[in-house]
Amino acid sequence: MIPVAILVIWQVLASSNLIPSYRLPSPAGVWLAGVDLYERGVLYQHIAISTQRVLLGFTIGAIVGLALAAVVGLSARASDLFAPTLAAIRAVPSLAWVPLLGLYIGLNEDSKVALVAIGAFFPVYTTVASALRHVDAHLVELGRSYGYSGTALLSLVQLPAVVPAVISSLRLALAQAWLFLVAGELLGASLGLGFLLVDSQQNGRIDRLFLTIILLGVLGKLTDTAVGLLERFLLKRWGS
Amino acid sequence: MSSSSLRRTTAADALSVSIRDLSRSFGDRHVLRAVDLEITAGEIVALIGPSGCGKSTLLRHIGGLDSPSGGAIDIGGEPVVGLDARSAVAFQEPRLLPWRSITRNVEVGLPRGKRKGDDRGRVAGLLELVKLTESAHLRPREISGGMAQRVSLARALARRPGVLLLDEPFGALDALTRLAMQDLLLELHAAEPATIVIVTHDVDEALYLADRVILLGSPKGQPAAEPASILSTVSVPGVRPRDRGSSDLAELRVELLDGLGVPTHHLSTH
Ligand SMILES: Nc1ncnc2c1ncn2[C@@H]1O[C@H](COP(=O)(O)OP(=O)(O)OP(=O)(O)O)[C@@H](O)[C@H]1O
Ligand SMILES: [Mg+2]
């Protein structure tokens, strides 16, 4: 309902001459800009490369995040060793890594994926490590007293207990991944939605700017919905 | 359920328990000292004592969940070192896994490593025993506190323990369910030869269930911070099921309440 209302208001504003069209394109204009890019064959490329970077970076960041969270969350010794350092690294505003990554890896594909991975890593690591550390000690003792240990105990108690935290951290990580993608592409890319933003701005193509913003919203929502489906499936099995 | 089918679901050999000169300190807090207790196989022993005196601690030692600062514990003549498959604990809290159904929670109790084909039937039998067949598919948040305690009991029984350790198993139950559960426990014990150590705050419950009631606490006249040991042992006369209103029990009741430091307003005839 609300999106329709926004569309209507947008159309009215755009056709009312209240705001000049170089400030606010009409919905039809944005649509045409999309069709134009599509017909040139570049729209798909921008979307594909950005989606690929997000999915790749998200997957890497999430896997590393889960692995480190498991180590830090399950072993007090590893926690003493790693947690303070990771907390300090996390205190750095993550976008500050961009120039450094650019220097180290060059402003290429790898550095953008790495940046997305950093963005996805921290929500997963922080949330899951803390969830593991706070698993009910009574339940862990229960498992032990009934003869469970090692991985059997892990899959009896700890893993199911942190399933909800894992899912919500993945959702957060995905949002962060898109954020970091745009940041990375804004700063240096020759393809991708972030690049399209900069390029449109520099060429005064407000219609393409609007188009890109809408595309980012739609893509973000689509990937979030995918994680949401996974969430529903997992919570049915492991939720309480 | 007939007693022969009970035996099939929970058959085990009862084991004796021997506690010798047990002591336990947490830092400089001395909780237990010089606890000596011999429990014969198949006996039901109730542990009572003031809150915080170390009842759960003693039970945890028998179950191998805690290790003593001094002294030793044997089960069936073999020393207890660490977690022990010969005993099963029903904790003071039900401790159910919230993401598992009632059935799957009871399955946690099945002996590990040697799962057998009749396991499923055994779990179903135990659920029937504790009258939870109808609720078998529910999750812990969907059942009442009393039902949760029955699940915890069924889980402990699933282990076919030689020694069953129950820490205030009926604490969260209303008076009526509590009485029913006491009878259920006796029914189980009659069918299955496990040794039972039960912690309770309820003197009547102790007298109704146990062969012997052990009063744990700090020696009289000493501050409560002193380590606890066995203050007295009461052998309960008569065979189970006992008459809850028997006058023999009434006298023991006064004696035990007195030991707990509870004023009974009993007009002594002496
Ligand atoms: N892990 C521990 N660390 C330190 N102190 C402990 C620990 N476990 C128990 N204690 C102490 O030991 C004492 C006995 O505790 P315990 O749980 O055995 O009491 P209890 O007799 O079961 O009490 P209640 O009837 O209230 O359950 C308490 O003073 C408690 O503070
Ligand atoms: Mg206790």
Side-chain angles (χ1 to χ4, degrees), chain A residues 26-204:
Chain A
S26 68
V30 170
W31 172 254
L32 286 178
V35 172
D36 172 50
L37 284 176
Y38 173 75
E39 279 170 353
R40 291 170 196 224
V42 288
L43 184 65
Y44 170 76
Q45 284 183 326
H46 288 307
I47 293 177
I49 191 73
S50 287
T51 311
Q52 181 188 320
R53 286 167 183 158
V54 160
L55 293 184
L56 215 61
F58 169 74
T59 309
I60 295 171
I63 288 175
V64 177
L66 285 174
L68 259 174
V71 171
V72 169
L74 290 172
S75 145
R77 207 179 306 157
S79 174
D80 291 345
L81 200 61
F82 291 116
T85 315
L86 283 165
I89 295 177
R90 186 165 170 257
V92 178
S94 311
L95 293 182
W97 298 110
V98 179
L100 192 65
L101 281 173
L103 252 174
Y104 281 177
I105 337 185
L107 286 175
N108 56 17
E109 209 45 44
D110 291 348
S111 71
K112 279 184 273 293
V113 171
L115 189 66
V116 173
I118 291 178
F121 167 81
F122 279 106
V124 174
Y125 162 74
T126 328
T127 315
V128 177
S130 129
L132 276 172
R133 229 172 290 136
H134 292 110
V135 169
D136 188 350
H138 274 172
L139 293 185
V140 177
E141 188 185 59
L142 165 86
R144 278 189 206 291
S145 81
Y146 280 87
Y148 288 78
S149 62
T151 48
L153 182 64
L154 209 63
S155 62
L156 180 78
V157 181
Q158 281 104 335
L159 291 186
V162 301
V163 163
V166 169
I167 296 165
S168 66
S169 80
L170 287 182
R171 276 192 123 147
L172 216 62
L174 198 59
Q176 285 273 97
W178 281 105
L179 175 72
F180 278 62
L181 169 89
V182 173
E185 289 181 344
L186 278 178
L187 289 163
S190 49
L191 211 56
L193 293 169
F195 163 76
L196 195 56
L197 285 174
V198 192
D199 191 55
S200 310
Q201 187 208 25
Q202 282 165 355
N203 296 317

Side-chain angles (χ1 to χ4, degrees), chain A residues 137-139 141-142 144-149 152 156-158 160-161 235-240, chain B residues 60 65 83 88-89 91 93 95-100 104 108-109 112 115 139 141 155-156 159:
Chain A
H138 274 172
L139 293 185
E141 188 185 59
L142 165 86
R144 278 189 206 291
S145 81
Y146 280 87
Y148 288 78
S149 62
L156 180 78
V157 181
Q158 281 104 335
L235 284 187
K236 212 179 209 165
R237 176 86 176 74
W238 299 110
S240 44
Chain B
R60 292 168 55 83
L65 286 164
L83 293 168
V89 189
F91 292 93
E93 324 76 25
R95 301 198 188 183
L96 304 182
L97 300 171
W99 50 85
R100 285 182 165 234
R104 305 240 308 127
V108 171
R112 301 251 309 134
R115 297 271 154 107
R139 294 276 174 97
R141 70 174 157 79
R155 182 177 58 196
R159 214 173 178 203

Side-chain angles (χ1 to χ4, degrees), chain B residues 26 29 31 49-58 92 168 201:
Chain B
F26 298 102
R29 164 98 172 86
V31 177
S51 181
C53 74
K55 303 181 295 294
S56 297
T57 304
L58 181 55
Q92 202 163 343
E168 300 187 36
H201 274 137

